[in-house]
Amino acid sequence: MGAEAPLGAEPSARRCFTPSEARLIKFEPGAGAYVRTRGGEAVLLTGPAACLDVSGEVSIGLRPVGLETADVCIGDPAHLDIRSHATILRTCNVEVARVVPQSEIAQLEGRQSP
């Protein structure tokens, strides 16, 4: 299991986290998927709008591209598995785009998690 980069890490340091511990905050049309890492940071996943056009209650799984046990870092590609009652498992190819400030998360309406 990889260690997450501390919140106070230098901006130039690569920010990484264990993808299996990511929890959905919200899908935001036109923006992507916001997820929270075990360390408490929020990150934005971006990808094809048609794949990330999700409404209703869903669960997610985030996987690295390549090694199953690898961490993912800002700028890395990843696979986002989306499960809901309405659809069969769907996988989107996404990029871990950026760390999102808490002030931006607080403005999201209809979050699934804080």
Side-chain angles (χ1 to χ4, degrees):
M1 306 233 169
E4 294 184 31
L7 291 176
E10 294 180 27
S12 61
R14 228 175 129 156
R15 309 283 282 270
C16 302
F17 62 96
T18 304
S20 63
E21 298 172 345
R23 300 293 172 251
L24 180 65
I25 297 172
K26 183 174 195 249
F27 281 97
E28 185 68 24
Y34 292 89
V35 298
R36 180 146 340 261
T37 69
R38 184 177 128 201
E41 283 187 306
V43 295
L44 177 63
L45 308 176
T46 58
C51 195
L52 296 175
D53 183 14
V54 177
S55 61
E57 294 273 331
V58 298
S59 64
I60 63 161
L62 186 63
R63 299 179 289 121
V65 172
L67 300 174
E68 287 298 317
T69 59
D71 285 350
V72 293
C73 303
I74 301 302
D76 283 354
H79 299 297
L80 180 65
D81 297 327
I82 304 168
R83 293 174 186 85
S84 73
H85 295 291
T87 61
I88 298 174
L89 174 68
R90 172 172 63 186
T91 299
C92 299
N93 294 320
V94 296
E95 179 181 332
V96 182
R98 65 184 174 93
V99 173
V100 180
Q102 289 307 115
S103 59
E104 187 175 332
I105 296 300
Q107 294 177 6
L108 293 174
E109 293 183 23
R111 299 184 306 270
Q112 285 192 19
S113 69

